[in-house]
């Protein structure tokens, strides 16, 4: 919750970034901190997905590892289709 006191740090951002952050906060009716927190979380998620996509692409390039992946998926498909609830 925003009413809790949180530890803080100070860092410099460019005037352009500050202006953009201020405009976004006003547009959304939120604090600049809330907008910044959301932006950081979205960037964290993007980085995670970028890494996962790169790992998946590397897996597909390795023919043996890709065959093993497909075999494992097949095993899971069989397990999921066994009508156990």
């Amino acid at each position: 919750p925003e009413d809790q006191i949180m530890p803080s740090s100070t860092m410099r951002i460019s005037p352009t970034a500050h202006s953009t952050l201020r405009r976004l906060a006003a547009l959304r009716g939120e604090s600049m901190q809330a907008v910044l927190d959301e932006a950081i979380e979205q960037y964290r998620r993007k980085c995670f997905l970028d890494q996962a996509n790169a790992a998946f692409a590397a897996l597909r390039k390795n023919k043996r590892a890709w065959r093993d992946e497909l075999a494992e998926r097949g095993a899971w498909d069989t397990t999921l289709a066994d009508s156990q609830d």
Side-chain angles (χ1 to χ4, degrees), residues 5-64:
I5 298 174
M6 294 183 279
S8 65
S9 297
T10 300
M11 67 179 290
R12 296 183 187 276
I13 61 173
S14 70
T16 301
H18 187 265
S19 176
T20 300
L21 184 57
R22 185 175 44 239
R23 282 194 311 268
L24 287 169
L27 180 67
R28 293 181 56 168
E30 296 178 352
S31 68
M32 291 195 319
Q33 183 65 54
V35 172
L36 185 58
D37 287 348
E38 176 65 20
I40 291 169
E41 176 59 16
Q42 291 299 320
Y43 186 68
R44 184 196 65 78
R45 290 177 184 201
K46 180 192 177 306
C47 289
F48 174 82
L49 290 175
D50 288 348
Q51 289 175 330
N53 286 336
F56 187 78
L59 178 67
R60 288 201 67 166
K61 287 182 181 179
N62 181 324
K63 290 182 182 186
R64 180 177 175 163

